[in-house]
Amino acid sequence: MHSNGMARRILTVTAASATVALALSACASGGSTGDAATNRGPITIWYSNNETEIAWGKQMVEAWNAENPDEKVKAQEIPAGKSSEEVIGAAITAGNAPCLVFNTAPVAVPQFEKQGGLVDLSSFEDGAAYIEERSGDTAAQYQGADGKYFQMPWKSNPVMIFYNKDMFTAAGLDAENPQLATYDEFLATSRTLVESGAAPNAIYPAPTSQFFQSWFDFYPLYAAETGGTQLIEDGEATFNAEDGAKVAEFWKTLYAEGLAGKEQYQGDSFADGQAAMSIVGPWAVSVYKDAVNWGAVPVPTSEGTPVEETYTFSDAKNVGMFTACENQATAWDVLKFATSEEQDGQLLELTGQMPLRETLPTVYPEYFAANPAYEQFGDQASRMVEVPNVSSSVAAWQAFRDAYTKSVITGEGDIPDALDSAAEKINALIAKP
Amino acid sequence: MSRAQNILRGVVLTVGALVFLFPFYYMVIGSLQAEPDPTVAGAFPNPANLTLDNYGDINSRINLLQGLLNSGIFTGGVILCTVVFGVLVGYALAQLQWRGRGVTFALALLVQVVPFQLLMIPLYVMIARDYGLADNYVGMILPFAINSTAVIIFRQYFLQIPKELFDAARIDGAGELRILRRIALPLVRPALLTVVLLTFIGPWNEFLWPFLITKEASLQPLAVSLANYLSNVAATAANPFGAVLAGACVLAGPAVLLFILFQRHFVSNNIGSGVKG
Amino acid sequence: MSLSTQSRTVAGRSTTPPGGEPRRKRQLLGKNPFGLLLSAPYLIFVLAVFAYPLVFAFWMSFHDYFFAAPGVDVDRPFVGLDNFREVLADPAIIRSFGNVGIFLLINVPLTVVLSLVLATALNKAVRFRTFLRVAYYVPYVTASVAVVGVWIFLFSGNGLVNQILGPLAPDPAWLINENWAMPTIAIFVTWKGLGFFILLYLAALQNVSEELYEAASTDGAGKIRSFFSVTVPGVRPATVLVLLLSTVTGANLFTEPYLLTGGGGPNGASSSPVLMMYQRGIEQGSPDSAAAIGVILVIGVLILAFVQRKLAGGDES
């Protein structure tokens, strides 16, 4: 009696719901815009809610609104972290995404593109030309299929190795010229740091399994080791070759010898004095300047590479224009305004993050002269690798991370095998349309 | 009830309570510290290290009062709808015989069982686009309006009330409405309190939905503002860990207060005597 | 539905509307159609808010689907059971279901037993009653996000717990240990959720009449005896509820594995089906796979609930 009753009830529920659902979907509006590409008028934008970016955003909006009272910009904040992708994805589906989002992660762009949510910027008359003139060769990494630009490269945070000068001194190491260029040197330095008791951990990247964590341990070193190769190129995984294995083995050694922490750390391990080094971009300079006496060097490679030839990961955040926008002509103008030389300069001043503009140090010499701490980042910004612009990129990174946490952090299994099976999975994932 | 047993029970309970409270206590201590102290000794506060700066930090970054107000409106709306309509359904499910009774209970169960992540995007599309309730308190409250757990709890509670009470009233010729008002509702007070205390937490701590449905900072509940603050705090605060804990304490405060105020009403109701004689 | 013990005479005496065909109407809408009226707001709410997403999710699991902007032309072919096949062939997903099984095995019995024992004790305690009750309730009200930091610290490699345990501490520390990650999470969730269930039991205990206890002690039963012979049967409906709710919320475990082990834990040892749904559906943009996992999860939980009802003995429904 009970089982029949329950099943019957569930079926009734489903049937009733289906009827209602059909009725509701009939009410759903299709909604089509006029000629959005050439319309002008007020627009809405989103930017991230961290303090320095809010400061930049507010002054940019004010400056624009002062000169364009008929095309006012309204700005709202969204979280900077992973939940920003959820929010944007939901907004695309509901059709209420803003015109511009100054917080579009390159890894999410293929997905938003697939959803039909992004406007092709190269469809504007000066679209491709503007982007390429501003960003130079780096722009190529942000193109979608057919060379179209579904995102405007905006700013980057080239990842370098920060080190704690006081801890180095305490361990008896040279704090001004640390030995961190080759893997052997790096390992030796790390061992000295930990064994001398100067630091609980030599370096402490997040050991957790979210898909984006590999951007801050494996990927920067892989970019450096291969001189600028992306994780996936020409539709195939590249990391299951010798270079990838070397990078993975290096990290495995760090974990196996207890030089890098395996447990999740709440907070910033470098700022809290729990790690002697950290692998992060220039946004951290404003965080560390009061907490730690820091220095920075490029990421290591197996044999050592000159500073001016070392690549790294860009950790870029870009701007997307969304198809829900009704006044795209205005949006394009705002976008150009927000990435103009003046506004890029403001970005540099207020946030310390590197605009994705070619030859930064020559364009803003006064800034770098006044802030020598950022100089090496300005230079590093010309040699960066972005996440590959492929479909199912998030799934691909997750597959990679799963293999990485198992074989490198936990140290189980054989690294070439793990990389091979991850590559196989990834190749299958990105082959799907 | 020997004295020794009483004392033993008291001791065991207190030890348990301390174990339960310890992480929370640690949280409060952590929020009051100027420098994070990850050692064991940090559990016992060093007076020199205590400060209210972390709370000040939060207050300067997010508008605590506005957030509390929005949380209050959001949670209040949910509790109101849940209590008013939930009692009715619970009573109907437990003590009345009507067509569709089983379906309704199955629905309440189904809504509980299905994870929110599965429903999130279609729900958002429906409420924001089809119902046009984005940037709106109603849109925020809607998915949570009548808590199905509360319905199940009310039903359970009414099931425990002896049917004889109601039968006696019916035999005496009372109409259904009268029975509801005069007998069922007055009896439900302990369950009402329970439900208020239990359904308070859901909307109070809810982050993702209110954030999805409104981008206006002036409408966002405290949980959202705090979560945003949390995700950006490493960049600015002097003691990030402490600031996070301070935020959590602020969020938990009203809930604990509410409980302290209401829990004294959990007294025995002695319904049993209503049946005899 | 089992018939209630309503006496026949009562049925005959129910209010009959003037004129009309009272008997027919009664059979059509049940004995007390008033119940339908009372439940109407709730039903309307559920249908208006949840019907569409629920049915939609179910429908998605049978199609090749992804969310797209309105007005975009997308091919969404019916693919039958493909999503289910793909999901069940993925070892990570099978593992997540296994993990949630381990979780439930630890969490549910512990929750039921502890919450009843504690509620009984709290009910009788007189001194410091407020303090004690608040103490057990407080973990429930604090947002997981905040408490997690404290737990991670307590259970870390050189955290308080390991320091107390000394040589007995497991080698990779609790949360990064493949075998201990899920049980640690189970203990955390039990600790955190007990407040809820203690409240449920406290309310139920108010209805267990004092006279029953007096009768039992007159018969010579000691405390433990009367606990088992008076308290436990007296709150049986609440026990059924506690079993059901702890199973349902346990099966939908998401926040705690995500926060405590930052993702799926060591080699997915603490991933849960809802975590997988979140990864597939929201992070990776495959809501069709997520829906398939969701459907499997819901069916599993309903089966569990049904089995529990049989074993624990249902209430009158």
Side-chain angles (χ1 to χ4, degrees), chain A residues 63-82:
Chain A
W64 170 272
N65 282 346
E67 313 223 333
N68 300 277
D70 294 331
E71 299 171 76
K72 281 215 148 103
V73 170
K74 176 172 146 180
Q76 292 172 323
E77 298 167 21
I78 61 170
K82 56 166 188 64

Side-chain angles (χ1 to χ4, degrees), chain A residues 82 86 115 208-209 263-264 412, chain C residues 67 69 156-157 178 258 278:
Chain A
K82 56 166 188 64
E86 290 163 31
Q115 289 184 282
T208 48
S209 18
E263 293 174 26
Q264 214 189 138
E412 276 175 35
Chain C
F67 291 113
S156 66
E178 268 187 74
Y258 193 82
Y278 176 81

